[in-house]
């Protein structure tokens, strides 16, 4: 399986009428998850989130690909 | 004075009330002749309701404010007779470019969905919109537009509302059945009635500049995150009419507005942004802050709040005037039915229910944009920059870049006015949906678009293959519905033929109506006067239609 790089956010239980709503709702929840946390706590929340999602994805080849893409441009840039 | 625009000045006319000891009573007073108050007056006047409009000023909106008018507002403005002028004068754009630091991250081309009359949006200075609305209002004999007339007192009552009006020639009182408060964000009426508006102020300041550019410059929307010429902030560049370009610089909370407004600060900033020595002239500069808030309810007895008086959003997404015009679209027909005694005043509660729902949606979307554009705290900024970095390569991240989600109409899916579907339908024209437009041909005359055939009263849209095949029983049922206390005018949408008995017929020339409304022969839609879907069925059932009409006008069963 290839990593999906197309926009893939959706909210199955809410009827939405505009494409951006699901992605924006996710992003809002993501930022909200860090409210009132100090830096160390925030980093921990991010790490835990990555682990939870990684397990949900499961396919390690795919995760390696995601890790590679995540590192791209970050070092030396 | 602007180089490209001359502000009109409207004369103060001494009102007869100043010379009369009695307080005159009128059906409706609108306070405020901004885009929303003017739209309200036109909506009601087109329903044959006389309106007095009071405005403290004697001209249009000064300087640079609203820019972007979205499709739904344009469709409503069509009904008010000014849509075409706004579209003709306004400029359309399709290409949007997004920059992060010194690089272009991506560009998008908003190819509009085909076969809609109005584009997704046009850019036009707010003073033009107001000027066109004023000209339209002056054509309508039952609008009494009064300039230099400041409302300084309001006394709400069980049966009437009285206002005190101050003019250059003295003060007078005027009473009305219904008062529409369209007096803007600071709403003196709201304050005088001691009503709250809740929400939050964004701790940020924006510098807006209108510049006239001589040389060619593409009609695109450019948005910068953290550009080298304005580090740590955002910048938006937009084209308006008359070669005037609007630039919004985010300044941060600590900026000194007076200092920032000085041309010697503004001009180098714009020059750095344009990156060359092209010629431009500064037309207008101001600094604004904004807030997102709304009143709990928009109707308070006989006082009805619309537009900025009722709700305010951040400008990202252009949801201010656009949503105010939709308030009025929602209110007009309801107020008419209540004034005619055909519906109880409770129908006005649904104005508040539906439009507070829409206001929440607008506030939610513009807050999300604001939080993306001006991230608060390090984590938010890291995520924002991560999205922008990924957006350079990956489509999914482009979908998360939020530099404003353009105003779109609400689907009132939870409205008590809707009759829930009993039959199966595909697509998005659910009860509560704003109608989708589509091309049609009108053998009986009229617009080659679907929407202009709807919008004054309730309508029943009946789908057939051959309009001439409408059976006698249905025709009789339709005739009865047309004579009801709240009439529903039939309109047949067919591939061919003419409906019997002179029933208006449209031909679905491109099949788009069928596609967008999931029509089959026999399908019936009940459409509200504001072009939202109230109910729909797979076959004609007069009893169900009557019940849906009662429900859509809050009559008891
Ligand atoms: C920088 C900026 C950018 C914006 N961009 C957009 C955009 O792109 N698209 C969009 O849709 N919206 C935009 N808006 C919002 C838009 O300008 C407002 O939403 C719109 O003007 C609201 O219209 P209104 O008629 O409710 O109120 P207003 O336009 O504020 O009109 C209120 C009227 O009431 C009158 N008044 C006030 N008090 C009294 C009184 N006591 N007696 C009599 N008259 C009185 C005033 O004279 C005024 O004419 C923007 C706003 C700003 C500041």
């Amino acid at each position: 399986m290839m990593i999906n790089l197309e926009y893939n956010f959706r909210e199955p239980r809410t009827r939405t009428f505009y494409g951006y709503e699901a992605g924006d709702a996710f992003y809002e929840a993501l930022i909200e998850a860090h409210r009132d946390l100090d830096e160390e706590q925030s980093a921990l929340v991010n790490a835990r989130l990555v682990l939870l999602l990684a397990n949900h994805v499961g396919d390690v080849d795919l995760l390696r690909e995601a890790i590679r893409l995540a590192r791209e441009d970050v070092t030396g840039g | 004075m602007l180089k490209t625009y001359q502000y009109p000045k409207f004369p103060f006319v001494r009102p007869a009330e100043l010379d009369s000891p009695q307080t005159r009573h009128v059906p409706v007073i609108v306070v405020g002749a901004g885009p929303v108050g003017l739209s309200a007056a036109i909506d009601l006047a087109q329903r044959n309701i006389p309106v007095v409009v009071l405005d403290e000023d004697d001209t249009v909106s000064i300087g640079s404010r609203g820019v972007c008018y979205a499709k739904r507002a344009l469709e409503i403005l069509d009904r008010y007779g000014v849509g075409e002028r706004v579209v003709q004068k306004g400029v359309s754009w399709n290409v949007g470019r997004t920059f992060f630091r010194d690089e272009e991250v991506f560009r998008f081309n908003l190819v509009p969905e085909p076969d809609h009359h109005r584009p997704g949006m046009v850019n036009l200075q707010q003073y033009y919109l107001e000027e066109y609305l004023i000209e339209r209002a002056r054509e309508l004999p039952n609008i009494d537009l009064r300039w230099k007339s400041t409302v300084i007192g309001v006394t709400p009552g069980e049966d009437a509302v009285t206002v005190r009006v101050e003019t250059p020639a003295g003060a007078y009182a005027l009473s009305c059945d219904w008062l529409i408060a369209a007096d803007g964000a600071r709403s003196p009426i709201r304050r005088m009635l001691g009503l709250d508006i809740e929400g939050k102020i964004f701790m940020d300041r924006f510098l807006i500049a209108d510049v006239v550019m001589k040389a060619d410059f593409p009609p695109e929307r450019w948005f910068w995150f953290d550009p080298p010429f304005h580090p740590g902030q955002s910048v938006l560049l937009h084209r308006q009419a008359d070669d005037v370009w609007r630039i919004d610089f985010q300044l941060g909370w600590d900026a000194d507005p007076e200092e920032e407004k000085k041309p010697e600060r503004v001009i180098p900033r714009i020059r750095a942004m344009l990156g060359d020595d092209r010629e431009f002239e500064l037309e207008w500069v101001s600094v604004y802050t904004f807030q997102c808030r709304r009143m709990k309810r928009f109707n308070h007895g006989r006082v009805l709040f619309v537009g900025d008086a009722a709700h305010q959003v951040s400008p990202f997404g252009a949801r201010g005037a656009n949503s105010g015009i939709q308030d009025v679209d929602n209110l007009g027909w309801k107020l008419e039915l209540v004034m005619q005694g055909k519906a109880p005043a409770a129908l006005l509660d649904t104005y508040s229910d539906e439009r507070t729902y829409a206001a929440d949606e607008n506030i939610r979307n513009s807050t999300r944009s604001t939080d993306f554009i001006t991230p608060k705290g390090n984590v938010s900024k890291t995520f924002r920059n991560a999205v922008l970095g990924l957006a350079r390569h990956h489509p999914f991240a482009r979908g998360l870049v939020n530099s404003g989600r353009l105003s779109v109409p609400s689907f009132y899916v939870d409205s008590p006015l809707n009759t829930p579907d009993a039959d199966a339908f595909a697509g998005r024209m659910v009860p509560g949906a704003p109608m989708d437009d589509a091309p049609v041909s009108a053998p009986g005359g009229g617009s080659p678009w679907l929407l202009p055939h709807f919008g004054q009263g309730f309508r029943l849209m009946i789908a057939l293959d051959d309009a001439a095949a409408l059976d006698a029983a249905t025709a009789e049922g339709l005739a009865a519905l047309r004579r009801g206390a709240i009439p529903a005018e039939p309109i047949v949408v067919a591939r061919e033929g003419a409906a019997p008995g002179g029933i208006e017929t449209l031909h679905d020339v491109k099949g788009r109506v069928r596609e967008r409304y999931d029509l089959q022969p026999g399908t019936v839609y009940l459409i509200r006067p504001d072009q939202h879907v109230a109910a729909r069925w797979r076959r004609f059932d007069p009893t169900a239609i009557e019940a849906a009409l009662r429900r859509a006008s809050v009559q008891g069963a």
Side-chain angles (χ1 to χ4, degrees), chain B residues 73-101:
Chain B
L74 295 172
E75 290 165 352
I76 298 167
L77 292 173
D78 275 336
R79 205 159 61 69
Y80 299 156
V82 301
E84 189 59 27
R85 284 190 82 183
V86 170
V87 171
Q88 288 305 324
K89 181 74 187 173
V91 298
S92 299
W93 56 272
N94 288 316
V95 174
R97 299 174 65 175
T98 305
F99 304 85
F100 178 38
R101 300 193 173 131

PDB file of all heavy atoms in Angstrom, chain B residues 73-101:
ATOM      1  N   ALA B  73     -24.603  35.790  -1.463  1.00  0.00           N
ATOM      2  CA  ALA B  73     -25.002  37.196  -1.316  1.00  0.00           C
ATOM      3  C   ALA B  73     -25.339  37.785  -2.690  1.00  0.00           C
ATOM      4  O   ALA B  73     -26.302  38.545  -2.823  1.00  0.00           O
ATOM      5  CB  ALA B  73     -23.902  38.001  -0.634  1.00  0.00           C
ATOM      6  N   LEU B  74     -24.575  37.412  -3.708  1.00  0.00           N
ATOM      7  CA  LEU B  74     -24.856  37.933  -5.058  1.00  0.00           C
ATOM      8  C   LEU B  74     -26.222  37.455  -5.542  1.00  0.00           C
ATOM      9  O   LEU B  74     -26.972  38.208  -6.175  1.00  0.00           O
ATOM     10  CB  LEU B  74     -23.762  37.493  -6.039  1.00  0.00           C
ATOM     11  CG  LEU B  74     -22.363  38.058  -5.776  1.00  0.00           C
ATOM     12  CD1 LEU B  74     -21.330  37.400  -6.693  1.00  0.00           C
ATOM     13  CD2 LEU B  74     -22.344  39.574  -5.946  1.00  0.00           C
ATOM     14  N   GLU B  75     -26.565  36.221  -5.223  1.00  0.00           N
ATOM     15  CA  GLU B  75     -27.872  35.695  -5.637  1.00  0.00           C
ATOM     16  C   GLU B  75     -29.002  36.451  -4.936  1.00  0.00           C
ATOM     17  O   GLU B  75     -30.050  36.724  -5.527  1.00  0.00           O
ATOM     18  CB  GLU B  75     -27.950  34.194  -5.329  1.00  0.00           C
ATOM     19  CG  GLU B  75     -27.039  33.369  -6.241  1.00  0.00           C
ATOM     20  CD  GLU B  75     -26.794  31.933  -5.760  1.00  0.00           C
ATOM     21  OE1 GLU B  75     -27.197  31.594  -4.627  1.00  0.00           O
ATOM     22  OE2 GLU B  75     -26.184  31.160  -6.512  1.00  0.00           O
ATOM     23  N   ILE B  76     -28.778  36.793  -3.674  1.00  0.00           N
ATOM     24  CA  ILE B  76     -29.796  37.568  -2.951  1.00  0.00           C
ATOM     25  C   ILE B  76     -29.849  38.986  -3.516  1.00  0.00           C
ATOM     26  O   ILE B  76     -30.926  39.546  -3.739  1.00  0.00           O
ATOM     27  CB  ILE B  76     -29.498  37.570  -1.436  1.00  0.00           C
ATOM     28  CG1 ILE B  76     -29.547  36.131  -0.895  1.00  0.00           C
ATOM     29  CG2 ILE B  76     -30.488  38.457  -0.689  1.00  0.00           C
ATOM     30  CD1 ILE B  76     -28.981  35.973   0.501  1.00  0.00           C
ATOM     31  N   LEU B  77     -28.673  39.550  -3.795  1.00  0.00           N
ATOM     32  CA  LEU B  77     -28.636  40.895  -4.379  1.00  0.00           C
ATOM     33  C   LEU B  77     -29.311  40.918  -5.752  1.00  0.00           C
ATOM     34  O   LEU B  77     -29.870  41.939  -6.152  1.00  0.00           O
ATOM     35  CB  LEU B  77     -27.198  41.409  -4.463  1.00  0.00           C
ATOM     36  CG  LEU B  77     -26.530  41.688  -3.108  1.00  0.00           C
ATOM     37  CD1 LEU B  77     -25.048  42.016  -3.293  1.00  0.00           C
ATOM     38  CD2 LEU B  77     -27.232  42.825  -2.353  1.00  0.00           C
ATOM     39  N   ASP B  78     -29.288  39.800  -6.453  1.00  0.00           N
ATOM     40  CA  ASP B  78     -30.046  39.706  -7.703  1.00  0.00           C
ATOM     41  C   ASP B  78     -31.528  39.953  -7.432  1.00  0.00           C
ATOM     42  O   ASP B  78     -32.210  40.645  -8.182  1.00  0.00           O
ATOM     43  CB  ASP B  78     -29.900  38.308  -8.323  1.00  0.00           C
ATOM     44  CG  ASP B  78     -28.646  38.187  -9.192  1.00  0.00           C
ATOM     45  OD1 ASP B  78     -28.162  39.229  -9.687  1.00  0.00           O
ATOM     46  OD2 ASP B  78     -28.148  37.066  -9.364  1.00  0.00           O
ATOM     47  N   ARG B  79     -32.013  39.354  -6.354  1.00  0.00           N
ATOM     48  CA  ARG B  79     -33.417  39.530  -6.002  1.00  0.00           C
ATOM     49  C   ARG B  79     -33.704  40.980  -5.623  1.00  0.00           C
ATOM     50  O   ARG B  79     -34.812  41.477  -5.789  1.00  0.00           O
ATOM     51  CB  ARG B  79     -33.770  38.596  -4.848  1.00  0.00           C
ATOM     52  CG  ARG B  79     -35.242  38.226  -4.780  1.00  0.00           C
ATOM     53  CD  ARG B  79     -35.470  36.955  -3.993  1.00  0.00           C
ATOM     54  NE  ARG B  79     -35.047  37.020  -2.601  1.00  0.00           N
ATOM     55  CZ  ARG B  79     -35.646  37.760  -1.673  1.00  0.00           C
ATOM     56  NH1 ARG B  79     -36.683  38.488  -1.979  1.00  0.00           N
ATOM     57  NH2 ARG B  79     -35.193  37.755  -0.436  1.00  0.00           N
ATOM     58  N   TYR B  80     -32.683  41.680  -5.096  1.00  0.00           N
ATOM     59  CA  TYR B  80     -32.866  43.082  -4.716  1.00  0.00           C
ATOM     60  C   TYR B  80     -32.586  44.031  -5.882  1.00  0.00           C
ATOM     61  O   TYR B  80     -32.626  45.243  -5.726  1.00  0.00           O
ATOM     62  CB  TYR B  80     -31.966  43.445  -3.528  1.00  0.00           C
ATOM     63  CG  TYR B  80     -32.260  42.629  -2.289  1.00  0.00           C
ATOM     64  CD1 TYR B  80     -31.306  42.438  -1.303  1.00  0.00           C
ATOM     65  CD2 TYR B  80     -33.513  42.036  -2.100  1.00  0.00           C
ATOM     66  CE1 TYR B  80     -31.580  41.685  -0.168  1.00  0.00           C
ATOM     67  CE2 TYR B  80     -33.792  41.281  -0.980  1.00  0.00           C
ATOM     68  CZ  TYR B  80     -32.823  41.109  -0.011  1.00  0.00           C
ATOM     69  OH  TYR B  80     -33.096  40.361   1.103  1.00  0.00           O
ATOM     70  N   GLY B  81     -32.225  43.454  -7.039  1.00  0.00           N
ATOM     71  CA  GLY B  81     -32.060  44.286  -8.232  1.00  0.00           C
ATOM     72  C   GLY B  81     -30.691  44.926  -8.390  1.00  0.00           C
ATOM     73  O   GLY B  81     -30.533  45.830  -9.215  1.00  0.00           O
ATOM     74  N   VAL B  82     -29.687  44.506  -7.633  1.00  0.00           N
ATOM     75  CA  VAL B  82     -28.364  45.123  -7.786  1.00  0.00           C
ATOM     76  C   VAL B  82     -27.254  44.111  -8.075  1.00  0.00           C
ATOM     77  O   VAL B  82     -26.104  44.499  -8.262  1.00  0.00           O
ATOM     78  CB  VAL B  82     -27.960  45.964  -6.542  1.00  0.00           C
ATOM     79  CG1 VAL B  82     -28.963  47.062  -6.289  1.00  0.00           C
ATOM     80  CG2 VAL B  82     -27.806  45.086  -5.312  1.00  0.00           C
ATOM     81  N   GLY B  83     -27.608  42.821  -8.125  1.00  0.00           N
ATOM     82  CA  GLY B  83     -26.582  41.788  -8.328  1.00  0.00           C
ATOM     83  C   GLY B  83     -25.771  42.015  -9.588  1.00  0.00           C
ATOM     84  O   GLY B  83     -24.533  41.926  -9.575  1.00  0.00           O
ATOM     85  N   GLU B  84     -26.460  42.348 -10.674  1.00  0.00           N
ATOM     86  CA  GLU B  84     -25.770  42.502 -11.945  1.00  0.00           C
ATOM     87  C   GLU B  84     -24.761  43.654 -11.896  1.00  0.00           C
ATOM     88  O   GLU B  84     -23.636  43.530 -12.375  1.00  0.00           O
ATOM     89  CB  GLU B  84     -26.809  42.732 -13.062  1.00  0.00           C
ATOM     90  CG  GLU B  84     -26.247  42.688 -14.471  1.00  0.00           C
ATOM     91  CD  GLU B  84     -25.557  41.364 -14.824  1.00  0.00           C
ATOM     92  OE1 GLU B  84     -25.914  40.317 -14.245  1.00  0.00           O
ATOM     93  OE2 GLU B  84     -24.639  41.400 -15.677  1.00  0.00           O
ATOM     94  N   ARG B  85     -25.156  44.755 -11.282  1.00  0.00           N
ATOM     95  CA  ARG B  85     -24.228  45.900 -11.193  1.00  0.00           C
ATOM     96  C   ARG B  85     -23.004  45.538 -10.368  1.00  0.00           C
ATOM     97  O   ARG B  85     -21.885  45.933 -10.704  1.00  0.00           O
ATOM     98  CB  ARG B  85     -24.926  47.095 -10.541  1.00  0.00           C
ATOM     99  CG  ARG B  85     -25.886  47.787 -11.469  1.00  0.00           C
ATOM    100  CD  ARG B  85     -26.381  49.095 -10.873  1.00  0.00           C
ATOM    101  NE  ARG B  85     -25.429  50.176 -11.070  1.00  0.00           N
ATOM    102  CZ  ARG B  85     -25.612  51.409 -10.580  1.00  0.00           C
ATOM    103  NH1 ARG B  85     -26.686  51.673  -9.860  1.00  0.00           N
ATOM    104  NH2 ARG B  85     -24.725  52.344 -10.803  1.00  0.00           N
ATOM    105  N   VAL B  86     -23.211  44.823  -9.286  1.00  0.00           N
ATOM    106  CA  VAL B  86     -22.088  44.440  -8.429  1.00  0.00           C
ATOM    107  C   VAL B  86     -21.140  43.527  -9.205  1.00  0.00           C
ATOM    108  O   VAL B  86     -19.920  43.712  -9.187  1.00  0.00           O
ATOM    109  CB  VAL B  86     -22.592  43.757  -7.133  1.00  0.00           C
ATOM    110  CG1 VAL B  86     -21.442  43.128  -6.356  1.00  0.00           C
ATOM    111  CG2 VAL B  86     -23.335  44.761  -6.255  1.00  0.00           C
ATOM    112  N   VAL B  87     -21.705  42.578  -9.940  1.00  0.00           N
ATOM    113  CA  VAL B  87     -20.860  41.646 -10.686  1.00  0.00           C
ATOM    114  C   VAL B  87     -20.135  42.368 -11.829  1.00  0.00           C
ATOM    115  O   VAL B  87     -18.956  42.143 -12.070  1.00  0.00           O
ATOM    116  CB  VAL B  87     -21.705  40.466 -11.222  1.00  0.00           C
ATOM    117  CG1 VAL B  87     -20.896  39.606 -12.183  1.00  0.00           C
ATOM    118  CG2 VAL B  87     -22.221  39.620 -10.057  1.00  0.00           C
ATOM    119  N   GLN B  88     -20.847  43.290 -12.503  1.00  0.00           N
ATOM    120  CA  GLN B  88     -20.219  44.023 -13.606  1.00  0.00           C
ATOM    121  C   GLN B  88     -19.067  44.894 -13.137  1.00  0.00           C
ATOM    122  O   GLN B  88     -18.022  44.949 -13.766  1.00  0.00           O
ATOM    123  CB  GLN B  88     -21.255  44.904 -14.328  1.00  0.00           C
ATOM    124  CG  GLN B  88     -22.250  44.135 -15.173  1.00  0.00           C
ATOM    125  CD  GLN B  88     -21.580  43.232 -16.202  1.00  0.00           C
ATOM    126  OE1 GLN B  88     -20.549  43.572 -16.773  1.00  0.00           O
ATOM    127  NE2 GLN B  88     -22.134  42.039 -16.406  1.00  0.00           N
ATOM    128  N   LYS B  89     -19.284  45.565 -12.019  1.00  0.00           N
ATOM    129  CA  LYS B  89     -18.259  46.485 -11.536  1.00  0.00           C
ATOM    130  C   LYS B  89     -17.147  45.735 -10.795  1.00  0.00           C
ATOM    131  O   LYS B  89     -15.984  46.145 -10.807  1.00  0.00           O
ATOM    132  CB  LYS B  89     -18.904  47.531 -10.604  1.00  0.00           C
ATOM    133  CG  LYS B  89     -17.938  48.560 -10.060  1.00  0.00           C
ATOM    134  CD  LYS B  89     -17.535  49.562 -11.127  1.00  0.00           C
ATOM    135  CE  LYS B  89     -16.428  50.482 -10.618  1.00  0.00           C
ATOM    136  NZ  LYS B  89     -15.908  51.362 -11.686  1.00  0.00           N
ATOM    137  N   GLY B  90     -17.520  44.654 -10.152  1.00  0.00           N
ATOM    138  CA  GLY B  90     -16.559  43.919  -9.338  1.00  0.00           C
ATOM    139  C   GLY B  90     -15.550  43.162 -10.183  1.00  0.00           C
ATOM    140  O   GLY B  90     -15.731  42.991 -11.386  1.00  0.00           O
ATOM    141  N   VAL B  91     -14.481  42.717  -9.545  1.00  0.00           N
ATOM    142  CA  VAL B  91     -13.509  41.911 -10.276  1.00  0.00           C
ATOM    143  C   VAL B  91     -13.518  40.492  -9.718  1.00  0.00           C
ATOM    144  O   VAL B  91     -13.669  40.270  -8.521  1.00  0.00           O
ATOM    145  CB  VAL B  91     -12.071  42.489 -10.224  1.00  0.00           C
ATOM    146  CG1 VAL B  91     -12.023  43.855 -10.874  1.00  0.00           C
ATOM    147  CG2 VAL B  91     -11.547  42.565  -8.813  1.00  0.00           C
ATOM    148  N   SER B  92     -13.401  39.552 -10.634  1.00  0.00           N
ATOM    149  CA  SER B  92     -13.367  38.146 -10.230  1.00  0.00           C
ATOM    150  C   SER B  92     -11.921  37.699 -10.218  1.00  0.00           C
ATOM    151  O   SER B  92     -11.102  38.205 -10.970  1.00  0.00           O
ATOM    152  CB  SER B  92     -14.122  37.289 -11.236  1.00  0.00           C
ATOM    153  OG  SER B  92     -15.447  37.689 -11.294  1.00  0.00           O
ATOM    154  N   TRP B  93     -11.630  36.777  -9.355  1.00  0.00           N
ATOM    155  CA  TRP B  93     -10.295  36.185  -9.376  1.00  0.00           C
ATOM    156  C   TRP B  93     -10.434  34.692  -9.204  1.00  0.00           C
ATOM    157  O   TRP B  93     -11.379  34.212  -8.581  1.00  0.00           O
ATOM    158  CB  TRP B  93      -9.398  36.775  -8.291  1.00  0.00           C
ATOM    159  CG  TRP B  93      -9.948  36.655  -6.906  1.00  0.00           C
ATOM    160  CD1 TRP B  93     -10.772  37.538  -6.269  1.00  0.00           C
ATOM    161  CD2 TRP B  93      -9.744  35.575  -5.991  1.00  0.00           C
ATOM    162  NE1 TRP B  93     -11.088  37.082  -5.025  1.00  0.00           N
ATOM    163  CE2 TRP B  93     -10.466  35.879  -4.820  1.00  0.00           C
ATOM    164  CE3 TRP B  93      -9.008  34.380  -6.039  1.00  0.00           C
ATOM    165  CZ2 TRP B  93     -10.483  35.035  -3.707  1.00  0.00           C
ATOM    166  CZ3 TRP B  93      -9.035  33.543  -4.925  1.00  0.00           C
ATOM    167  CH2 TRP B  93      -9.773  33.880  -3.779  1.00  0.00           C
ATOM    168  N   ASN B  94      -9.524  33.950  -9.784  1.00  0.00           N
ATOM    169  CA  ASN B  94      -9.559  32.499  -9.645  1.00  0.00           C
ATOM    170  C   ASN B  94      -8.257  31.952  -9.094  1.00  0.00           C
ATOM    171  O   ASN B  94      -8.243  30.918  -8.463  1.00  0.00           O
ATOM    172  CB  ASN B  94      -9.817  31.829 -11.004  1.00  0.00           C
ATOM    173  CG  ASN B  94     -11.233  32.044 -11.453  1.00  0.00           C
ATOM    174  OD1 ASN B  94     -12.160  31.913 -10.658  1.00  0.00           O
ATOM    175  ND2 ASN B  94     -11.420  32.396 -12.700  1.00  0.00           N
ATOM    176  N   VAL B  95      -7.157  32.678  -9.373  1.00  0.00           N
ATOM    177  CA  VAL B  95      -5.864  32.143  -8.967  1.00  0.00           C
ATOM    178  C   VAL B  95      -5.484  32.706  -7.604  1.00  0.00           C
ATOM    179  O   VAL B  95      -5.501  33.917  -7.390  1.00  0.00           O
ATOM    180  CB  VAL B  95      -4.783  32.487 -10.007  1.00  0.00           C
ATOM    181  CG1 VAL B  95      -3.403  32.057  -9.518  1.00  0.00           C
ATOM    182  CG2 VAL B  95      -5.113  31.808 -11.333  1.00  0.00           C
ATOM    183  N   GLY B  96      -5.176  31.828  -6.693  1.00  0.00           N
ATOM    184  CA  GLY B  96      -4.706  32.219  -5.376  1.00  0.00           C
ATOM    185  C   GLY B  96      -3.297  31.684  -5.189  1.00  0.00           C
ATOM    186  O   GLY B  96      -3.016  30.540  -5.542  1.00  0.00           O
ATOM    187  N   ARG B  97      -2.399  32.519  -4.698  1.00  0.00           N
ATOM    188  CA  ARG B  97      -1.031  32.068  -4.470  1.00  0.00           C
ATOM    189  C   ARG B  97      -0.692  32.212  -3.002  1.00  0.00           C
ATOM    190  O   ARG B  97      -1.037  33.210  -2.375  1.00  0.00           O
ATOM    191  CB  ARG B  97      -0.073  32.892  -5.338  1.00  0.00           C
ATOM    192  CG  ARG B  97      -0.381  32.716  -6.821  1.00  0.00           C
ATOM    193  CD  ARG B  97       0.443  33.615  -7.697  1.00  0.00           C
ATOM    194  NE  ARG B  97       1.865  33.288  -7.625  1.00  0.00           N
ATOM    195  CZ  ARG B  97       2.794  33.880  -8.383  1.00  0.00           C
ATOM    196  NH1 ARG B  97       2.448  34.802  -9.243  1.00  0.00           N
ATOM    197  NH2 ARG B  97       4.058  33.537  -8.271  1.00  0.00           N
ATOM    198  N   THR B  98      -0.038  31.194  -2.465  1.00  0.00           N
ATOM    199  CA  THR B  98       0.282  31.166  -1.045  1.00  0.00           C
ATOM    200  C   THR B  98       1.790  31.099  -0.878  1.00  0.00           C
ATOM    201  O   THR B  98       2.439  30.226  -1.466  1.00  0.00           O
ATOM    202  CB  THR B  98      -0.381  29.954  -0.370  1.00  0.00           C
ATOM    203  OG1 THR B  98      -1.778  29.993  -0.646  1.00  0.00           O
ATOM    204  CG2 THR B  98      -0.156  29.973   1.127  1.00  0.00           C
ATOM    205  N   PHE B  99       2.305  32.038  -0.105  1.00  0.00           N
ATOM    206  CA  PHE B  99       3.747  32.099   0.126  1.00  0.00           C
ATOM    207  C   PHE B  99       4.051  31.855   1.598  1.00  0.00           C
ATOM    208  O   PHE B  99       3.288  32.265   2.475  1.00  0.00           O
ATOM    209  CB  PHE B  99       4.296  33.477  -0.258  1.00  0.00           C
ATOM    210  CG  PHE B  99       4.000  33.865  -1.677  1.00  0.00           C
ATOM    211  CD1 PHE B  99       2.787  34.463  -2.015  1.00  0.00           C
ATOM    212  CD2 PHE B  99       4.922  33.636  -2.683  1.00  0.00           C
ATOM    213  CE1 PHE B  99       2.509  34.828  -3.325  1.00  0.00           C
ATOM    214  CE2 PHE B  99       4.658  34.002  -4.001  1.00  0.00           C
ATOM    215  CZ  PHE B  99       3.451  34.595  -4.323  1.00  0.00           C
ATOM    216  N   PHE B 100       5.174  31.189   1.854  1.00  0.00           N
ATOM    217  CA  PHE B 100       5.644  30.988   3.214  1.00  0.00           C
ATOM    218  C   PHE B 100       7.105  31.409   3.235  1.00  0.00           C
ATOM    219  O   PHE B 100       7.918  30.868   2.491  1.00  0.00           O
ATOM    220  CB  PHE B 100       5.493  29.517   3.600  1.00  0.00           C
ATOM    221  CG  PHE B 100       5.989  29.184   4.981  1.00  0.00           C
ATOM    222  CD1 PHE B 100       5.811  30.067   6.054  1.00  0.00           C
ATOM    223  CD2 PHE B 100       6.621  27.973   5.224  1.00  0.00           C
ATOM    224  CE1 PHE B 100       6.259  29.736   7.327  1.00  0.00           C
ATOM    225  CE2 PHE B 100       7.065  27.639   6.495  1.00  0.00           C
ATOM    226  CZ  PHE B 100       6.885  28.524   7.545  1.00  0.00           C
ATOM    227  N   ARG B 101       7.403  32.401   4.057  1.00  0.00           N
ATOM    228  CA  ARG B 101       8.742  33.008   4.069  1.00  0.00           C
ATOM    229  C   ARG B 101       9.087  33.462   2.656  1.00  0.00           C
ATOM    230  O   ARG B 101       8.299  34.196   2.067  1.00  0.00           O
ATOM    231  CB  ARG B 101       9.747  32.048   4.670  1.00  0.00           C
ATOM    232  CG  ARG B 101       9.323  31.711   6.105  1.00  0.00           C
ATOM    233  CD  ARG B 101      10.368  31.031   6.921  1.00  0.00           C
ATOM    234  NE  ARG B 101       9.892  30.915   8.283  1.00  0.00           N
ATOM    235  CZ  ARG B 101       9.918  29.789   8.997  1.00  0.00           C
ATOM    236  NH1 ARG B 101      10.444  28.687   8.511  1.00  0.00           N
ATOM    237  NH2 ARG B 101       9.450  29.784  10.225  1.00  0.00           N
TER     238      ARG B 101
END
